[in-house]
Amino acid sequence: MREDTTREADPGAAGGAAPKKVRADVRRNTDALLTAAAEVFLTSGVDAPVRQITTKAGVGAGTLYRHFPQRSDLIAAVFRHEVDACADAAPSLAAEYGPAEALTRWLQRLALFFATKRGLSAALHSGDSTYDSLPAYFEQRFMPALTGLIDAAAEAGEIRSDVTPDDLLVATRNLAVPEGEDDTGHTRRMIALLVDGLRYQAR
Amino acid sequence: MREDTTREADPGAAGGAAPKKVRADVRRNTDALLTAAAEVFLTSGVDAPVRQITTKAGVGAGTLYRHFPQRSDLIAAVFRHEVDACADAAPSLAAEYGPAEALTRWLQRLALFFATKRGLSAALHSGDSTYDSLPAYFEQRFMPALTGLIDAAAEAGEIRSDVTPDDLLVATRNLAVPEGEDDTGHTRRMIALLVDGLRYQAR
DNA sequence: CGACAATACGGAACAGTGTTCCGTTTAGCA
DNA sequence: TGCTAAACGGAACACTGTTCCGTATTGTCG
């Protein structure tokens, strides 16, 4: 999925960012590293060898250390990257599908996020101050995305209106922790069931 | 167990325990490794490099791996070794000093044990089954040692008689966790104060 | 007391790590 | 198009855990 964070003119991140020109190869390699690291973390954990990440990303070791001097920097960046990817999907889905369908598809996407976030949880509780801001970032990005979808669906009369974003966030996280490897089918069905429940009382 | 610290190189007085003949160099090197590992763990943590331990012990790497194939084996052995050393000090002190004085000195010794056990605590909660028996071993060795000292001091009328071994065990552990590095003086004074408190009501 | 197995020892060698360094390439601008 | 600053890549380095085997030590038996 394409990230439209290509322009650094995004003011919402960390206050007034300097209008520094980012070279194209820097962005390209940074993205490749984040994508590769996400995959490697999923299969080998966050302590995976550096070379495994750089090889998959097709970059040299120096490039990784230039952009992510500490391992925690890379881990935190991967987390943010995945949060962004998931949160950004909400508006896209809302534009493409009807309110209830958009909500369903985004919750499926969110379940995927939780499922792939498994390896990161240990690192988040390690006391490294690099991770301090991550929970807040999680909240700050997901809550508006989900609230928007819920409100739209509720206003359209497609789902009941007494459900809170917190409810769905927690429920989705819980549903995304079933057994075994190929649980995609299971989680998917459960999420669908959940939204069907939302739809039921709307009539 | 017992053969780790006591000088079992006495062929005539061997009891009916285990009639396996242990070569002298094996015992020597094992002891050296346990002593060295205890020091290294204290300064560098239980993840300290293998060479640091072998160098300090004056043995080769092969010797370490022959006796402790897994790292958890070494850690558990160090723990037992230190528990034994501390517990075995109780009878010695009881023979050399008066009841109350022996109790005081042994609690000082126990505080030292707790202070040096800091690095091990993380490993103990790692889920490795090698460590499963350690808490029981701790209890099994320390409780009789302390009970003996307390009973002797109480019967001699040197301390009050309403204190339980658990009380002192917990109190000593808590006292042994103060600030900074050179806290030996602090802990020592607090332990002494504690025993003085025991003595007070005995009059 | 001396020779001999059996056993243990030591440390070099190997296969991985994380991290740095610097010659080479590239991107952006004039 | 040329030029310069920035970024790239991967060889090189330092350090890790682990294995292997020639050598040394030990306990015993004649």
Side-chain angles (χ1 to χ4, degrees), chain B residues 4-38:
Chain B
D4 277 343
T5 53
T6 57
R7 308 178 48 202
E8 212 236 72
D10 192 359
K20 55 182 176 182
K21 42 188 177 183
V22 179
R23 266 177 59 159
D25 51 356
V26 171
R27 173 168 306 284
R28 187 184 341 121
N29 286 321
T30 302
D31 282 348
L33 277 170
L34 288 177
T35 304

Side-chain angles (χ1 to χ4, degrees), chain A residues 98-107 146 149-150 153 159 168 195 198:
Chain A
E101 178 69 12
L103 176 61
T104 304
R105 286 176 179 265
W106 191 77
L107 288 183
L146 181 53
L149 291 171
I150 290 177
I159 65 167
L168 283 185
V195 182
L198 293 179

Side-chain angles (χ1 to χ4, degrees), chain A residues 87-179:
Chain A
D88 290 344
S92 308
L93 292 171
E96 189 170 359
Y97 300 96
E101 178 69 12
L103 176 61
T104 304
R105 286 176 179 265
W106 191 77
L107 288 183
Q108 302 283 10
R109 180 74 175 75
L110 181 67
L112 194 71
F113 168 84
F114 282 127
T116 60
K117 194 185 59 62
R118 205 70 41 84
L120 296 181
S121 61
L124 296 188
H125 299 79
S126 67
D128 192 316
S129 63
T130 309
Y131 305 128
D132 286 351
S133 65
L134 291 187
Y137 192 74
F138 173 90
E139 194 95 356
Q140 169 190 329
R141 291 289 273 140
F142 279 167
M143 287 300 285
L146 181 53
T147 302
L149 291 171
I150 290 177
D151 288 352
E155 284 180 15
E158 296 190 6
I159 65 167
R160 53 200 291 183
S161 57
D162 61 344
V163 65
T164 73
D166 286 289
D167 288 339
L168 283 185
L169 224 50
V170 172
T172 303
R173 180 177 59 204
N174 291 343
L175 285 177
V177 193
E179 70 270 81

Side-chain angles (χ1 to χ4, degrees), chain A residues 23 29 51 59 61-63 66-67:
Chain A
R23 266 175 58 158
N29 286 321
R51 282 166 179 76
V59 306
T63 302
R66 192 171 315 106
H67 296 309

Side-chain angles (χ1 to χ4, degrees), chain B residues 23 25 29 51 59-63 66-67:
Chain B
R23 266 177 59 159
D25 51 356
N29 286 321
R51 281 166 179 74
V59 305
T63 302
R66 192 171 314 106
H67 295 307

Side-chain angles (χ1 to χ4, degrees), chain A residues 40-112:
Chain A
V40 170
F41 286 172
L42 186 60
T43 59
S44 306
V46 292
D47 290 327
V50 168
R51 282 166 179 76
Q52 200 176 340
I53 299 170
T54 56
T55 300
K56 189 180 280 276
V59 306
T63 302
L64 188 155
Y65 279 95
R66 192 171 315 106
H67 296 309
F68 308 101
Q70 309 275 339
R71 191 168 200 85
S72 56
D73 295 328
L74 177 61
I75 295 173
V78 166
F79 185 88
R80 283 201 171 80
H81 189 253
E82 300 205 324
V83 168
D84 284 337
C86 187
D88 290 344
S92 308
L93 292 171
E96 189 170 359
Y97 300 96
E101 178 69 12
L103 176 61
T104 304
R105 286 176 179 265
W106 191 77
L107 288 183
Q108 302 283 10
R109 180 74 175 75
L110 181 67
L112 194 71

